[in-house]
Amino acid sequence: EEVLTINQPLADKKSIELLYLVDDTIGPKSLGDEGKIRQILMNLIVNAIKYGSENGEVVLSFYEVETKILIEVSDTGIGVEEKHLKHLFDRFYRVDGSRSRAEGGSGLGLSIVKHAIEAHGEKIFVRSTPNVGTTFGFTLPKDK
């Protein structure tokens, strides 16, 4: 909730609604480095807003999956073509260099996110449809 609140002004500039979905029975309780998890969520949410469509939405969701918490950040944005998906987490990779420069991107954010998630012994995934949106997801061990 804190990360969404911090990014509300950025979302307001594009009239993007920020949504938070969590099953009240689990709560977002996981094992992990709180600072790193905050950094991961900040990066994913800022990207979702940056590349999201005006009047769209960004959704931060938490799901219980066996012994893990699945966290997803979805947007209703421009999406990413299939050929670019495997490179999204490469350092300095940009799908469209001119667009990323205009948005202020360095091409490092998703690489940092991947590294931070892997430091927790987990993996990140992405699914995307051009002109529909993108979802980034990762799991963290559930606190018992």
Side-chain angles (χ1 to χ4, degrees), residues 24-92:
D24 291 337
T25 62
I26 60 167
K29 297 177 180 141
S30 67
L31 299 172
D33 181 308
E34 185 178 333
K36 293 285 184 202
I37 294 168
R38 183 179 291 112
Q39 180 184 23
I40 291 165
L41 292 175
M42 283 291 291
N43 189 297
L44 293 176
I45 289 168
V46 166
N47 279 354
I49 294 168
K50 252 189 218 185
Y51 300 111
S53 299
E54 290 215 17
N55 302 309
E57 61 184 33
V58 170
V59 182
L60 173 59
S61 306
F62 293 82
Y63 305 96
E64 185 173 5
V65 181
E66 298 176 6
T67 61
K68 298 185 185 278
I69 301 286
L70 169 62
I71 302 163
E72 291 187 331
V73 176
S74 301
D75 67 62
T76 54
I78 60 175
V80 179
E81 291 180 38
E82 175 96 22
K83 67 182 180 182
H84 296 291
L85 291 178
K86 64 184 174 190
H87 298 291
L88 283 182
F89 302 103
D90 295 349
R91 292 178 72 204
F92 304 112

Side-chain angles (χ1 to χ4, degrees), residues 107-124:
L108 285 173
L110 290 176
S111 175
I112 292 167
V113 164
K114 180 183 178 201
H115 179 75
I117 290 168
E118 289 176 347
H120 285 86
E122 301 293 331
K123 294 183 188 265
I124 187 165

